[in-house]
């Protein structure tokens, strides 16, 4: 059973309020991570930064994935969120700070009905979320202000009511919130001031609404504390509802554990790798003998094998530590993806004497007697795999687009820490490598390039719009090769969700696309030690995958939304899709590493306004 952890919240003026909610530890990386909003009962919180986590204990186990921690500059590794069993769980701060009270003072009959003010001005009793005047529960503000740099603030009610001007009756004036009840639209929500000014919330969520009242982002970072604001934010402020999915968009980095680093020798050596840094040959020999006395798993290895493994770590660190970018299927030069592609392309049967290995990749049974589906060069079955997923940072309003500048990433802590929050999953998968000669000949034709160019041009417009003034926009890397591989991954997940018994949300894609590579891994993985039941690997057997492709191609030739879907000039978020909709290709958010963008089934089965030739004839 997955361990659930307790949120704790504290204010400067009080002790711990206590348990306010429960989530899985893995959700503190993917769903309720640092800087996200958490609704608990009648209150609202923002999850505090890593600075508030309890200090790691000397014997606390860290997740280690050397390739990933080297790229992310996290030399200590990755830390599971604390479980909170001893009262030392992750903290959460009350946010927003503005509340309203719907109650009536029993003495006067008027009192605080629909008063709108900062929570502290209601003077709630310690440990309670009630108004001191009428004892009615307080309601947190429905609206917050955020910017694309990750900053978060309370909605500026004073400036909104007075259209950016000062209140003439300040500081004696008071705000009041009311609703007409006529509609559910924002115009039914009225904010009134005791000076006589009033305004509805209509138009507050427009792109230029905050600029119209001369409100600039104040750079607040409430997850890091009241005094953690950044100065000089150049991004426009936007109004969001506090429960909106745009309030918190995580930037997740991940890597597969592959040989040689997945072998027991390397896994056991990594916690003691520091012993071998900047040492002479004699000192390395001494360290190899010493390490065997503290690490029982290394007893069956010779000193020479241990020293050679330490050298492999040093070589990787020296060659690849300078690039801290997050992982994406677009990054053709990403050495992590290149290594995974190479490893998945060749058999890797574990040593029978090494029962702790966590990676096994083999060809399907009867591979010599049967051929893969037309257009597929190779099929490999990944019977065992381990993936480490890490919360690197987050953004708000707009998710980071592939190839976008990373300056929008919000920090998880005030001080740089030698670790990041993360968790590991284990499972199984199927790897497919496309025929490169056939793919190159197909992509060089006019129609596939023309269709991909339409997506690339829109992606370039998006990158340019999101680039701060004075900086050069990155170049979009959308190609016909990438769109084809990505579309095939979605089609396979949808097809296998019908055959394997796994829901689509439990399967994920991992893309390997560059000028010289084209492959995809469809896998299922959970934080449970059991992983999966082998159903996906069974579907990867050649006798089954050929049947899957026949059904896949037949299903993709026709969508219930056709002809509108196939002939669409643009589709999806930011118009980054062509022939792709919820009826044919789109997947749950957790399954796609590119936000359900860069999809076009015409690339797979042919058709479209350009009459694209089908890659899979």
């Amino acid at each position: 059973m997955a361990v659930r952890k307790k949120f704790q919240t504290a204010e400067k003026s009080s002790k711990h309020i206590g348990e306010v909610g429960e989530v899985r530890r893995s959700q503190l990386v993917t769903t309720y991570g640092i800087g996200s909003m958490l609704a608990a009962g009648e209150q609202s919180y923002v999850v505090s930064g890593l600075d508030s986590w309890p200090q790691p204990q000397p014997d606390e186990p860290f997740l280690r994935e050397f390739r990933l921690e080297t790229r992310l500059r996290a030399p200590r590794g990755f830390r599971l969120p604390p479980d909170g069993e001893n009262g030392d769980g992750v903290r959460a701060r009350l946010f927003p700070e503005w509340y309203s009270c719907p109650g009536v003072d029993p003495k006067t009959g008027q009192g605080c009905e629909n008063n709108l003010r900062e929570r502290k001005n209601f003077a709630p009793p310690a440990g309670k979320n009630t108004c001191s005047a009428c004892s009615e529960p307080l309601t947190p503000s429905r609206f917050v202000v955020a910017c694309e740099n990750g900053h978060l603030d309370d909605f500026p009610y004073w400036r909104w009511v007075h259209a950016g001007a000062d209140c003439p009756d300040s500081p004696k004036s008071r705000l009041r919130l009311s609703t007409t009840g006529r509609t559910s639209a924002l115009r039914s929500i009225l904010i009134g001031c005791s000076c006589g000014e009033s305004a509805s919330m209509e138009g507050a969520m427009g792109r230029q609404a905050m600029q119209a009242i001369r409100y600039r982002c104040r750079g607040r970072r409430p997850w890091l504390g009241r005094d953690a604001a950044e100065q000089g934010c150049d991004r426009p402020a936007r109004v969001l509802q506090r429960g909106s999915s745009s309030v918190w968009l995580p930037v997740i980095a991940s890597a597969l554990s592959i040989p040689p680093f997945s072998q027991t020798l390397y896994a056991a050596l990594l916690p003691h790798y520091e012993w071998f840094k900047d040492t002479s040959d004699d000192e390395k020999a001494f360290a190899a003998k010493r390490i065997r006395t503290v690490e029982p798993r290394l007893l069956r290895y010779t000193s020479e094998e241990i020293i050679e493994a330490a050298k492999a770590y040093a070589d990787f660190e020296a060659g690849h530590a300078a690039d801290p970018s997050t992982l994406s299927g677009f990054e053709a030069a990403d050495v992590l993806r290149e290594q995974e592609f190479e490893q998945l392309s060749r058999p890797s049967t574990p040593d029978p004497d090494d029962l702790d290995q966590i990676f096994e990749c083999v060809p399907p049974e009867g591979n010599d007697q049967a051929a893969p589906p037309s257009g597929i060069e190779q099929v490999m079955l990944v019977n065992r795999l381990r993936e480490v997923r890490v919360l690197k940072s987050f953004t708000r309003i707009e998710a980071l687009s592939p190839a976008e500048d990373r300056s929008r990433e919000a920090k998880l802590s005030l001080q740089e820490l030698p670790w990041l929050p993360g968790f590991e999953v284990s499972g199984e998968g199927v790897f497919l490598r496309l025929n490169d000669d056939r793919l190159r000949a197909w992509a060089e034709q006019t129609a596939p390039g023309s269709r991909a160019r339409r997506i690339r041009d829109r992606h370039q417009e998006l990158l340019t719009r999101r680039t701060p003034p004075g900086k050069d926009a990155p170049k979009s890397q959308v190609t016909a090769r990438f769109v084809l591989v990505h579309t095939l991954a979605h089609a396979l997940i949808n097809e296998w969700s019908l055959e394997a018994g796994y829901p689509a949300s439990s399967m994920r894609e991992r893309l390997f696309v560059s000028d010289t590579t084209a492959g995809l891994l469809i896998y299922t993985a959970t934080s449970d030690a059991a992983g999966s039941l082998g159903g996906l690997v069974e579907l990867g057997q050649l006798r089954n995958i050929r049947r899957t492709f026949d059904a896949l191609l037949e299903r993709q030739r026709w969508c219930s939304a056709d002809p509108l879907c196939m002939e669409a000039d643009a589709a999806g978020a930011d118009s980054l899709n062509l022939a792709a909709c919820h009826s044919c290709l789109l997947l749950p958010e957790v399954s796609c590493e590119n936000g359900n963008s860069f999809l076009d089934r015409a690339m797979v089965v042919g058709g479209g306004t350009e009459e694209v030739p089908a890659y899979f004839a």
Side-chain angles (χ1 to χ4, degrees), residues 383-399:
N383 293 318
R384 284 189 279 176
L385 65 82
R386 170 186 182 255
E387 181 189 23
V388 177
R389 300 174 187 167
V390 178
L391 177 62
K392 181 178 181 291
S393 57
F394 64 90
T395 62
R396 303 194 194 277
I397 302 178
E398 299 280 0

Side-chain angles (χ1 to χ4, degrees), residues 37-74:
M37 300 284 290
L38 170 71
E42 298 169 343
Q43 293 182 274
S44 175
Y45 303 89
V46 61
V47 181
S48 298
L50 298 179
D51 306 283
S52 66
W53 284 27
Q55 291 296 317
Q57 300 300 314
D59 59 344
E60 180 178 340
F62 273 61
L63 297 175
R64 305 305 300 264
E65 171 46 54
F66 186 74
R67 298 187 312 126
L68 186 58
E69 61 194 56
T70 301
R71 292 293 296 278
L72 299 182
R73 296 176 179 170

Side-chain angles (χ1 to χ4, degrees), residues 405-536:
D405 179 76
R406 306 295 174 180
S407 61
R408 292 203 295 118
E409 297 184 35
K411 292 184 177 181
L412 304 181
S413 60
L414 287 172
Q415 298 181 348
E416 293 293 332
L417 298 174
W419 51 269
L420 288 169
F423 67 101
E424 63 180 351
V425 294
S426 57
E428 58 165 346
V430 178
F431 172 74
L432 304 177
R433 180 164 63 90
L434 277 65
N435 185 294
D436 195 60
D437 292 336
R438 176 170 176 169
L439 178 59
R440 184 179 295 106
W442 172 84
E444 288 175 351
Q445 298 180 70
T446 302
S450 173
R451 202 160 171 89
R453 193 178 307 113
R454 291 163 62 186
I455 300 178
R456 183 170 63 251
D457 290 344
R458 294 185 182 118
H459 186 220
Q460 188 62 58
E461 292 175 4
L462 177 66
L463 294 175
T464 302
R465 187 171 70 246
R466 292 182 180 176
T467 302
K471 293 186 177 181
D472 295 331
K475 300 297 183 183
S476 172
Q477 300 176 41
V478 176
T479 63
R481 293 169 67 97
F482 184 86
V483 176
L484 170 67
V485 174
H486 191 204
T487 303
L488 176 61
H490 279 234
L492 271 172
I493 290 176
N494 279 328
E495 196 65 35
W496 277 338
S497 69
L498 300 175
E499 297 186 40
Y502 294 122
S505 59
S506 70
M507 289 185 279
R508 295 169 63 92
E509 66 180 14
R510 194 168 184 85
L511 309 180
F512 308 89
V513 185
S514 70
D515 293 338
T516 58
T517 62
L520 59 102
L521 171 69
I522 306 299
Y523 65 103
T524 179
T526 68
S527 54
D528 191 289
S532 59
L533 303 177
L536 201 56

